[in-house]
Amino acid sequence: CGNADTLTLTVESPMYIQAGLDLTACEHSGDLVLEVEDFESTFLWSAVSEEGAEALVSSETGVVDVSVLTTGTFTYVVTGGEGTCQTNDSVNIHVLPLPEINMPMDELYCVNAGEVVLNPPSPLGGAWSGMGISNPVAGLFMPDLAGVGNHTLSYAYTDLSTGCAAT
């Protein structure tokens, strides 16, 4: 007397997941979405570091809040596939520092002083804005346009080597 049964096994080739090219972001910028290239199965994102994990808003969508990260490189791993056919890949986010702007000392001008050149901030190459600015790039200020009182002027600078901007 005997009994027999059968088992059917399916062997598949794994789908290799690709996280794409490394990314660059400026410090304090907003959300960044990590993307998976041509992968039709489920996948999840994770971070290698604790700081990276705190910035990972969603492991399903790969949204990272860059404003939570300090400058440096953060590695994220995407894992996808089913059963023993799971594969993974990683991508780095390089978080670059914002330029540091050093402003000149506060200044006092008479309302009838005429057009004046503001003392330059560091680094050079940015643009001024605010009440009384007549030429943002040259830093020309007209006290009579601003009027009597205290005025807050801003200076915006973009680092051409990183693309990061500060005001």
Side-chain angles (χ1 to χ4, degrees):
C1 188
N3 192 3
D5 201 354
T6 61
L7 171 67
T8 302
L9 297 175
T10 302
V11 177
E12 293 182 349
S13 295
M15 293 185 298
Y16 291 97
I17 197 163
Q18 292 184 357
L21 300 174
D22 288 353
L23 304 167
T24 301
C26 296
E27 185 178 25
H28 304 297
S29 57
D31 290 348
L32 186 65
V33 179
L34 303 174
E35 296 187 12
V36 173
E37 298 176 4
D38 299 326
F39 194 75
E40 296 179 12
S41 184
T42 59
F43 57 87
L44 289 175
W45 287 95
S46 61
V48 171
S49 69
E50 186 176 322
E51 185 178 358
E54 290 175 12
L56 185 60
V57 174
S58 170
S59 59
E60 291 86 19
T61 61
V63 174
V64 176
D65 182 0
V66 178
S67 68
V68 175
L69 300 172
T70 57
T71 59
T73 299
F74 299 90
T75 303
Y76 291 88
V77 176
V78 63
T79 303
E82 303 292 331
T84 59
C85 288
Q86 281 192 344
T87 61
N88 60 51
D89 194 17
S90 64
V91 65
N92 293 315
I93 298 177
H94 304 285
V95 180
L96 304 175
L98 297 177
E100 185 176 319
I101 297 174
N102 296 307
M103 295 297 283
M105 300 286 290
D106 290 347
E107 298 180 45
L108 174 72
Y109 295 105
C110 274
V111 72
N112 62 353
E115 191 170 58
V116 294
V117 178
L118 297 171
N119 286 326
S122 172
L124 297 174
W128 289 94
S129 63
M131 185 66 77
I133 295 294
S134 59
N135 184 321
V137 176
L140 298 180
F141 176 71
M142 296 185 69
D144 60 335
L145 285 178
V148 174
N150 293 323
H151 300 282
T152 301
L153 303 178
S154 296
Y155 181 78
Y157 174 80
T158 299
D159 184 329
L160 298 179
S161 66
T162 65
C164 295
T167 300

